[in-house]
Amino acid sequence: MTELLRAEGLSAFYGPSRILFDVNLVLQEKRTLALLGRNGAGKSTTMKTLAGIVPARSGRIIFAGQDITRMPPHARARLGLAYVPEDRQVFPEHSVEDNLLIAAKSGPDGRRGWTLPRIWDTFPLLENLRAREAGRLSGGEQQLLVIARALMGNPLVLLLDEPSEGLAPMVVATISRMLRELGASGATILLAEQNMHFCLRIAEEAVVIDKGKVVHQQDTVGLARNEDIRRRYLAM
Ligand SMILES: Nc1ncnc2c1ncn2[C@@H]1O[C@H](COP(=O)(O)OP(=O)(O)OP(=O)(O)O)[C@@H](O)[C@H]1O
Ligand SMILES: [Mg+2]
């Protein structure tokens, strides 16, 4: 197995408040790792620190064999680290298709595995909406669009922050199915989620975070049966 992303002893602050405490995680190539935790546990802060939006006060981030701890976000993106934030920002006045084409580029390894036709194949819903202004899409459609847009950059790793948040169950099921297919096709994903059930059939392994600390790590099937951890650290 090839390791693509590693965080070692990460700490992060917002002003004087310490939010992350020695966060460690390892993401292997072609795997999906869930980062689980309840509201305010530090999932988004971890994702932002990995993406370079929040600086790491201490610790190291190794991506595809390089130390990226001090790199700005755009340099990390150029190396193939794609970050999809929880706010689902699209270019509202542009069509779905233009939102995708704006992001099209070959990957850091020169690959262009993801092109518009493959996106339409994977996201038939988006193909039906290709001419629609992105600002007029539903929340779930926008979520699909921002994931697809990230893929158009042919990244090595996708950082997905709470793709299921605030969406209706049917839409969540669509996104879940799509992420499962994406994983099966060889994508490497770090998936931050509150919803353990959403992650169950997508991620093989889960890291549980609470109050900015990694408190547990387990395969997702085992975690689903682990009442104690679920009761203590996850809201279910
Ligand atoms: N910009 C900020 N300034 C100060 N504190 C912040 C800021 N953003 C988040 N926090 C605090 O940092 C902690 C971790 O927040 P974070 O957003 O990382 O949690 P989360 O696990 O993503 O939660 P959620 O499930 O609500 O998205 C929380 O206590 C939150 O209040
Ligand atoms: Mg969050």
Side-chain angles (χ1 to χ4, degrees):
M1 267 193 297
T2 312
E3 178 183 309
L4 273 188
L5 182 63
R6 166 184 290 266
E8 270 176 17
L10 276 194
S11 71
F13 288 67
Y14 290 122
S17 351
R18 186 166 183 184
I19 305 296
L20 297 185
F21 298 80
D22 297 320
V23 168
N24 297 306
L25 57 87
V26 176
L27 178 61
Q28 305 283 355
E29 187 178 22
K30 301 188 177 177
R31 292 303 194 98
T32 296
L33 177 68
L35 179 63
L36 283 170
R38 54 163 85 97
N39 238 320
K43 301 180 298 295
S44 295
T45 305
T46 302
M47 301 300 253
K48 287 176 187 162
T49 307
L50 294 171
I53 289 153
V54 168
R57 183 75 66 86
S58 60
R60 296 201 306 162
I61 305 166
I62 310 293
F63 175 57
Q66 277 195 63
D67 189 328
I68 61 163
T69 318
R70 306 277 162 247
M71 266 185 203
H74 63 87
R76 301 184 196 206
R78 206 178 316 120
L79 288 177
L81 190 60
Y83 166 55
V84 181
E86 54 191 338
D87 58 9
R88 298 174 194 150
Q89 295 241 11
V90 295
F91 300 109
E93 265 128 59
H94 288 274
S95 68
V96 165
E97 182 162 342
D98 284 347
N99 267 270
L100 292 167
L101 289 174
I102 290 163
K105 64 180 181 69
S106 48
D109 47 5
R111 274 181 315 137
R112 265 191 189 270
W114 287 98
T115 54
L116 213 47
R118 183 166 169 209
I119 292 286
W120 298 149
D121 250 17
T122 311
F123 305 81
L125 195 77
L126 290 181
E127 184 171 23
N128 294 332
L129 299 166
R130 64 197 287 173
R132 175 93 43 103
E133 271 181 33
R136 302 172 63 90
L137 299 179
S138 70
E141 291 160 354
Q142 287 186 355
Q143 183 63 56
L144 288 174
L145 178 56
V146 291
I147 295 171
R149 190 175 59 191
L151 290 170
M152 285 295 282
N154 288 286
L156 299 179
V157 167
L158 272 180
L159 303 175
L160 296 184
D161 197 355
E162 289 213 59
S164 80
E165 194 194 1
L167 299 177
M170 246 175 66
V171 186
V172 171
T174 305
I175 292 177
S176 162
R177 185 166 4 94
M178 189 276 299
L179 289 179
R180 207 154 54 238
E181 283 170 21
L182 207 56
S185 80
T188 308
I189 303 170
L190 180 63
L191 176 64
E193 265 298 330
Q194 283 196 47
N195 180 346
M196 188 198 60
H197 295 290
F198 178 78
C199 296
L200 253 182
R201 287 158 67 211
I202 302 174
E204 298 87 8
E205 185 92 10
V207 166
V208 180
I209 185 172
D210 189 59
K211 300 194 181 93
K213 294 186 176 129
V214 172
V215 289
H216 189 71
Q217 178 152 6
Q218 192 172 9
D219 65 283
T220 48
V221 177
L223 184 63
R225 297 198 196 104
N226 194 334
E227 287 272 344
D228 177 46
I229 293 292
R230 285 170 50 197
R231 205 162 340 103
R232 256 199 289 175
Y233 301 119
L234 305 168
M236 61 198 71

